[in-house]
Amino acid sequence: MKQITQLGANVEEALHLALQKLGVTREQVDVEVLQEGKKGFLGFGAKPAEVRVTVKEEEPKEIEQNEVVQPVQNEPVETTELIEKKTVELVESEEEQESKQVEPVETQNNVSKMQEEDPVEKAKQYIFNIAKEMDIHDLKIHSEYEGKRLLFKLESEKAALLIGKHGATLNALQQLTQLVINNVAKTFISLTLDVENYRERRQSTLESLADRMADKAVRTGRKVAFEPMPSYERKIIHNALANRIDIETYSEGTEPNRYLVIEPLK
């Protein structure tokens, strides 16, 4: 039994991509929607749709002796661009999805062309498109590669707009660009976006905050909770307090509202 789990900007696109990889049509599979896509503002805060597609088992059909089998001709197809839309579209209702026919499977030439796309350039173009929607037209992107880690350094007169409050906009843009680049790359790439050394300044701020909050927890004898933050920022605080023996740190809640707690040890 062939089965595949696929991500996409919406359920329809995820299904389309899965059908391409399996080389089958909609009628030949069972589809289970694991997660419907979520639209965000200009793509920020969005979540991809996820489907599980299973190929149906078919019984072999005997061809009558006088039956003439006509060769199947490939129909013209349309290349699907992976998450290159400037905004993530609303997930269509299940009734609308069922009433729509899935587009024909792409030809091998188009699939090969898609696989040959440069993931770094595609990711850069995605960021440029988002920046234009934010009325940022002077953006420059410098890339640094180290193994499977890729760093994009962004420069603009509107750096504050790219960063957002406590880095919320920058974190959302990083998450979306991570999806874009790994839909094209042959191997996984860990992407980091930085704007005018914001990441370094943010780390220093979090480490200082961690010490102050830990001292507060010990002084009051009560737990201290931080505001929700991404996992790598929680990791910075965990590491900053790892050598203290008078407190312990742990995370609570679910993404994207997961937060860190400091608890004093008695």
Side-chain angles (χ1 to χ4, degrees):
M1 177 184 298
K2 290 185 177 180
Q3 187 179 83
I4 187 173
T5 301
Q6 180 65 47
L7 298 176
N10 51 47
V11 173
E12 182 180 7
E13 180 177 287
L15 174 58
H16 191 139
L17 294 173
L19 293 176
Q20 294 172 17
K21 293 181 179 180
L22 292 171
V24 295
T25 64
R26 175 65 180 85
E27 292 75 17
Q28 295 175 295
V29 299
D30 292 320
V31 180
E32 179 183 359
V33 178
L34 303 179
Q35 173 177 282
E36 295 188 346
K38 178 181 178 183
K39 180 182 178 183
F41 177 70
L42 293 180
F44 300 122
K47 289 185 178 180
E50 183 176 6
V51 299
R52 179 182 293 124
V53 179
T54 305
V55 178
K56 299 177 181 178
E57 295 183 356
E58 297 183 358
E59 297 182 0
K61 180 180 178 181
E62 296 184 358
I63 301 176
E64 297 182 5
Q65 184 175 358
N66 296 328
E67 183 180 357
V68 178
V69 180
Q70 297 294 336
V72 178
Q73 297 181 349
N74 291 330
E75 299 180 1
V77 296
E78 180 180 335
T79 302
T80 302
E81 297 298 332
L82 297 176
I83 318 180
E84 195 171 6
K85 298 180 180 179
K86 299 181 181 68
T87 59
V88 179
E89 299 176 347
L90 287 172
V91 178
E92 299 177 331
S93 64
E94 293 183 359
E95 293 78 10
E96 291 176 336
Q97 294 170 13
E98 293 176 353
S99 66
K100 287 189 175 184
Q101 293 182 350
V102 178
E103 296 177 358
V105 177
E106 295 183 349
T107 63
Q108 185 64 39
N109 289 338
N110 284 339
V111 173
S112 298
K113 181 179 180 181
M114 184 184 303
Q115 293 175 344
E116 293 173 358
E117 288 184 288
D118 185 344
V120 175
E121 292 304 317
K122 191 173 183 66
K124 286 183 178 180
Q125 188 57 53
Y126 177 79
I127 296 174
F128 280 129
N129 291 341
I130 292 294
K132 289 179 181 179
E133 292 294 330
M134 300 171 67
D135 197 27
I136 299 175
H137 302 285
D138 63 341
L139 179 64
K140 295 181 181 179
I141 303 177
H142 305 280
S143 59
E144 295 181 4
Y145 240 129
E146 183 179 349
K148 293 184 179 180
R149 297 182 180 275
L150 175 62
L151 172 64
F152 279 173
K153 292 183 177 181
L154 281 55
E155 294 181 6
S156 171
E157 292 294 330
K158 298 182 178 180
L161 188 59
L162 285 168
I163 295 172
K165 183 179 180 181
H166 298 324
T169 302
L170 185 61
N171 291 338
L173 182 58
Q174 176 175 299
Q175 181 181 8
L176 291 173
T177 309
Q178 180 86 61
L179 292 174
V180 172
I181 199 169
N182 282 303
N183 267 301
V184 180
K186 294 181 180 180
T187 58
F188 180 80
I189 297 175
S190 176
L191 174 68
T192 300
L193 298 187
D194 197 6
V195 179
E196 298 184 355
N197 294 322
Y198 169 78
R199 298 297 186 191
E200 183 177 344
R201 299 197 307 272
R202 178 63 172 168
Q203 178 173 344
S204 178
T205 299
L206 289 173
E207 288 173 346
S208 298
L209 179 62
D211 286 332
R212 294 199 305 272
M213 297 295 275
D215 291 340
K216 179 180 178 181
V218 173
R219 185 176 64 256
T220 62
R222 297 181 179 179
K223 299 179 183 178
V224 176
F226 289 77
E227 64 182 13
M229 60 182 63
S231 60
Y232 74 90
E233 289 193 348
R234 298 196 304 271
K235 185 177 181 180
I236 290 174
I237 297 177
H238 281 303
N239 292 339
L241 301 176
N243 294 327
R244 293 193 59 154
I245 60 175
D246 53 349
I247 55 96
E248 66 174 348
T249 61
Y250 52 88
S251 296
E252 290 187 343
T254 57
E255 300 293 356
N257 297 314
R258 195 164 173 79
Y259 58 93
L260 186 139
V261 177
I262 300 177
E263 182 175 356
L265 297 177
K266 298 180 179 180

